Amino acid sequence: MRKNSSIVAIFSEFITVYPRHFSILFLLLVVEGVAAALSIVALVPLADFMLDPALAKPSRITQVVIGGLDTIELQSTFWIFAALFVALNFLRGSLEVVIHYAVLRIKYTVIRGLFGDALQTFFKSRWEFFSGKKQGQLLNTLNRELNTIGDTLGHLAILFANIVQLVIYLAVPLWLNTQLTLTALGLALLFVLPFLLLNGVSYRLGKRNTDTANIAMGILSEVLGAARLILGFGRQSQAKERYLIAFDQHIKVTLRSQVLGTAVPKFFQPIAMLATMIALGFAIRQQVLISELAAVMWSLLAAMPILSSLLQGNISISNFLPSYEQLVSLRKSAAEVEEIQGGRPFLLLERDIEFKDLSFTYPDRVQTLTAINLHIRKGQMTALVGESGSGKSTITDLVLGLQIPEQGQVLIDGVSLSELHQNSFRERVGYVPQDSQLFQASIRDNLLWSFDSASESDLWNVLQLANATAFVRDLPQGIDTLVGDRGIRLSGGQRQRIALARALLRKPELLILDEATSALDSKSEHLIQQSIEQVAHNTTILVVAHRLSTIVKADQIYVLSQGRIVEEGSFNELSAKSYSMLNVMLAAQSL
């Protein structure tokens, strides 16, 4: 029942979302079916002529063809009948090529649509959808399973085409000799019943195939993402073996799956020929006209491979259904955590951002933040410090609306963040995380990604603010230098300065620096610190700091411990208290 409902769902999506493609395909199938029927009928006068060139006792079909030739003043000769037969078969073959092209166009149009719909659904969800899902499952769904779904819809289109062709191929022999056709068809359907029992096996193999692909893709993603760590530890062989073990498990299943799909039609074809030969034996005993018998056999021999293709398509669809079900499951999961976009647009920060009695807990974890009250005032630098796991980065996620508080509110100028259109707010925020990811493009493109209408002077101004002008000018292609995957061609400090320039380019109302200097050397840290001090005069800044040297000039510091604010005040106020937690941290860093 679940398999049938999934097939109906896929086919319904195909028809309702792509009605124009479906209509064109249907029209082509009808034309091809007519051409196929005429090509079968054209065999009858050719056979009659070969058996009796005088055409003394022609069949009823031959009589109709002769009458048509007389109307256009053509003689009934072997060459005319042969040319008619060949031309109609050439037309049918040409239409089959066009139909195959149409099916492929439908397949790739559907894949593109599925990609777009899936990404739109995923990116409408909250951050917890991405953080809670295994990356392997998401990557495998977008990389492999969507293509598999496209194949499934292609198979459905081909199945539909085959059904139309089968009706045409069987209509002519049923008209010529009903008993012979029904005998052959009945035997073929009887022989095909055992093959239908393989649907369940195919579905289970398809489910296992998808699961093992998820695992293999997850390990591959993890291995490639940790390439520096693997090389640094000299664990290349272990990384390779870990992936190959998962890949071998996937291959073991996919081999069974693909062999099953290939074996079924190969075994059915000789069985279908046996059914046709048995029916032929009955027809010979009944002394059927040779010309009509030739047309019937020609049609049946053309119809049997279509029956075989229908059987293969049915097995393939059963195998592919788990891919569709995984996509549906992911879209459902994303829809369940869809981000609620408030209707109120954000224009600019006038006073402050306030956390009011806010508490938050990640799923299946102890409480992360408890009763947080803090102010990020316009035009000031606010800093968050504390040990790892104290909740500093979670606060930045809450400011960005990536997480939703269990209790309390995030207020922007007194208005709840949930009432604001989230993206209108985020588009006015500059964000520099600890691991600043650059895209595999030029420095110029990475900057324009943040604000695509920026001018050339805007680009160089923010590069200067980020202390990046000198090294960018020294690069081989300057600002048009490609930075490589995730910015790998640049040093850590260079990447971070480009990331800071990218954040500053949009002239943000709020600049968030989430441990932006924690992984940098002293020189790079000093350059970033200089940049922060340059923009601090006219920008509201929230700094999450591990290195306390970056917050010496902060207007307000909040010290967190175990999800609570334990101290607050300026740097001078807190450092003046001999037993303050900030002083303990300063002593640990020898500042």
Side-chain angles (χ1 to χ4, degrees):
M1 179 62 71
R2 183 174 63 175
K3 179 175 84 72
N4 292 334
S5 63
S6 295
I7 292 175
V8 170
I10 294 174
F11 204 58
S12 297
E13 184 168 350
F14 170 49
I15 294 174
T16 56
V17 178
Y18 308 99
R20 185 172 64 87
H21 296 80
F22 179 82
S23 301
I24 293 172
L25 177 62
F26 181 77
L27 180 62
L28 287 171
L29 289 171
V30 170
V31 174
E32 193 272 340
V34 172
L38 292 175
S39 69
I40 296 168
V41 171
L43 181 63
V44 176
L46 183 61
D48 272 339
F49 188 91
M50 293 177 68
L51 294 170
D52 179 17
L55 295 175
K57 294 181 179 179
S59 67
R60 47 188 172 168
I61 293 176
T62 303
Q63 293 175 26
V64 173
V65 174
I66 291 172
L69 292 174
D70 289 341
T71 303
I72 58 175
E73 298 181 353
L74 283 177
Q75 292 185 346
S76 301
T77 65
F78 169 78
W79 295 110
I80 291 295
F81 291 142
L84 181 64
F85 177 71
V86 171
L88 287 170
N89 275 280
F90 181 79
L91 175 62
R92 187 196 66 183
S94 300
L95 286 169
E96 286 179 350
V97 173
V98 173
I99 288 171
H100 183 65
Y101 172 79
V103 168
L104 289 176
R105 279 295 302 269
I106 289 170
K107 169 187 169 180
Y108 289 110
T109 299
V110 167
I111 289 175
R112 185 183 185 282
L114 288 171
F115 259 108
D117 290 344
L119 288 173
Q120 182 178 12
T121 303
F122 294 165
F123 280 113
K124 285 173 67 177
S125 65
R126 298 195 299 272
W127 167 241
E128 67 183 87
F129 169 76
F130 295 96
S131 61
K133 289 292 174 188
K134 294 181 178 178
Q135 290 301 307
Q137 186 181 25
L138 284 173
L139 287 173
N140 183 52
T141 299
L142 293 171
N143 182 48
R144 174 185 177 274
E145 305 305 329
L146 278 181
N147 190 64
T148 302
I149 293 165
D151 286 336
T152 304
L153 290 174
H155 278 290
L156 282 171
I158 292 170
L159 277 177
F160 184 76
N162 287 338
I163 290 171
V164 174
Q165 289 174 334
L166 188 63
V167 170
I168 298 294
Y169 279 131
L170 294 180
V172 175
L174 280 170
W175 175 56
L176 291 173
N177 193 309
T178 305
Q179 185 177 2
L180 170 61
T181 305
L182 289 178
T183 300
L185 191 59
L187 288 169
L189 292 175
L190 181 65
F191 292 146
V192 85
L193 288 176
F195 290 98
L196 297 178
L197 299 176
L198 295 174
N199 279 345
V201 176
S202 179
Y203 177 82
R204 288 192 294 274
L205 284 174
K207 181 72 170 64
R208 182 66 181 146
N209 197 21
T210 297
D211 292 341
T212 54
N214 288 340
I215 294 170
M217 185 63 73
I219 292 175
L220 180 60
S221 173
E222 189 175 72
V223 165
L224 293 177
R228 180 187 289 270
L229 181 67
I230 291 168
L231 292 172
F233 272 72
R235 308 300 282 177
Q236 296 95 321
S237 296
Q238 289 81 352
K240 180 193 72 174
E241 287 304 316
R242 182 174 172 231
Y243 171 70
L244 289 180
I245 289 171
F247 184 74
D248 288 342
Q249 292 296 319
H250 175 59
I251 290 300
K252 186 185 299 184
V253 177
T254 200
L255 279 175
R256 296 175 189 170
S257 177
Q258 293 184 37
V259 168
L260 178 63
T262 303
V264 167
K266 297 301 181 184
F267 285 124
F268 177 74
Q269 285 177 4
I271 293 174
M273 292 178 64
L274 174 62
T276 305
M277 293 302 105
I278 293 173
L280 176 62
F282 288 131
I284 292 174
R285 292 181 61 183
Q286 295 173 2
Q287 297 183 337
V288 176
L289 283 175
I290 296 298
S291 60
E292 292 188 0
L293 181 61
V296 171
M297 293 307 299
W298 178 269
S299 183
L300 287 176
L301 287 174
M304 289 306 174
I306 295 177
L307 274 175
S308 174
S309 179
L310 286 172
L311 185 61
Q312 181 184 18
N314 189 43
I315 295 294
S316 297
I317 289 169
S318 297
N319 187 265
F320 290 158
L321 281 178
S323 299
Y324 179 77
E325 291 171 355
Q326 177 160 293
L327 175 63
V328 170
S329 175
L330 283 173
R331 289 199 303 203
K332 182 180 178 182
S333 298
E336 287 174 353
V337 290
E338 181 176 346
E339 192 169 64
I340 300 172
Q341 294 280 355
R344 189 167 176 173
F346 174 81
L347 299 176
L348 55 87
L349 183 64
E350 295 181 346
R351 298 192 309 275
D352 63 9
I353 298 172
E354 180 185 4
F355 277 43
K356 192 171 183 179
D357 299 322
L358 187 145
S359 297
F360 175 80
T361 306
Y362 289 102
D364 304 321
R365 285 168 60 179
V366 297
Q367 186 136 345
T368 307
L369 296 173
T370 304
I372 298 295
N373 289 280
L374 62 81
H375 281 82
I376 303 168
R377 292 180 173 83
K378 180 180 175 64
Q380 293 189 357
M381 182 194 296
T382 303
L384 305 175
V385 299
E387 72 272 11
S388 297
S390 60
K392 304 184 299 297
S393 292
T394 302
I395 288 178
T396 66
D397 286 348
L398 288 159
V399 170
L400 288 168
L402 300 179
Q403 302 288 0
I404 297 177
E406 292 175 353
Q407 296 176 354
Q409 298 182 81
V410 178
L411 301 174
I412 314 292
D413 291 330
V415 178
S416 175
L417 180 58
S418 62
E419 296 180 23
L420 296 177
H421 189 277
Q422 302 292 302
N423 275 359
S424 72
F425 173 66
R426 292 170 187 160
E427 286 171 357
R428 303 295 294 129
V429 174
Y431 178 50
V432 183
Q434 178 178 355
D435 181 18
S436 292
Q437 182 173 343
L438 300 183
F439 299 104
Q440 192 168 356
S442 67
I443 292 174
R444 180 191 303 277
D445 291 335
N446 271 279
L447 295 174
L448 290 174
W449 177 81
S450 171
F451 187 61
D452 54 14
S453 60
S455 65
E456 186 76 10
S457 61
D458 290 335
L459 299 181
W460 287 105
N461 284 339
V462 295
L463 287 172
Q464 184 174 359
L465 282 173
N467 277 311
T469 306
F471 89 79
V472 169
R473 290 193 188 280
D474 289 340
L475 291 172
Q477 284 81 41
I479 196 172
D480 293 307
T481 300
L482 298 177
V483 301
D485 185 28
R486 299 175 66 88
I488 196 170
R489 294 180 183 175
L490 303 179
S491 70
Q494 290 172 337
R495 283 197 301 271
Q496 205 71 336
R497 278 178 275 164
I498 296 298
L500 178 59
R502 180 174 63 187
L504 293 173
L505 185 61
R506 51 173 52 184
K507 297 181 175 63
E509 290 293 310
L510 172 67
L511 176 63
I512 298 177
L513 305 171
D514 191 353
E515 303 210 34
T517 64
S518 62
L520 302 182
D521 59 86
S522 298
K523 181 179 179 181
S524 296
E525 180 193 4
H526 180 66
L527 289 172
I528 293 288
Q529 181 60 35
Q530 284 183 337
S531 301
I532 295 172
E533 291 174 3
Q534 285 187 71
V535 300
H537 302 295
N538 51 15
T539 305
T540 305
I541 300 177
L542 174 63
V543 179
V544 175
H546 174 71
R547 291 186 178 179
L548 302 182
S549 57
T550 59
I551 61 157
V552 171
K553 296 185 179 181
D555 297 285
Q556 182 75 355
I557 298 173
Y558 292 94
V559 182
L560 285 90
S561 178
Q562 298 181 354
R564 294 178 181 272
I565 295 175
V566 293
E567 292 177 357
E568 60 180 283
S570 68
F571 185 88
N572 290 335
E573 289 172 350
L574 295 178
S575 60
K577 299 176 181 179
S578 57
Y579 295 104
S580 68
M581 183 171 289
L582 180 66
N583 263 331
V584 173
M585 297 169 66
L586 288 170
Q589 295 186 19
S590 301
L591 290 178

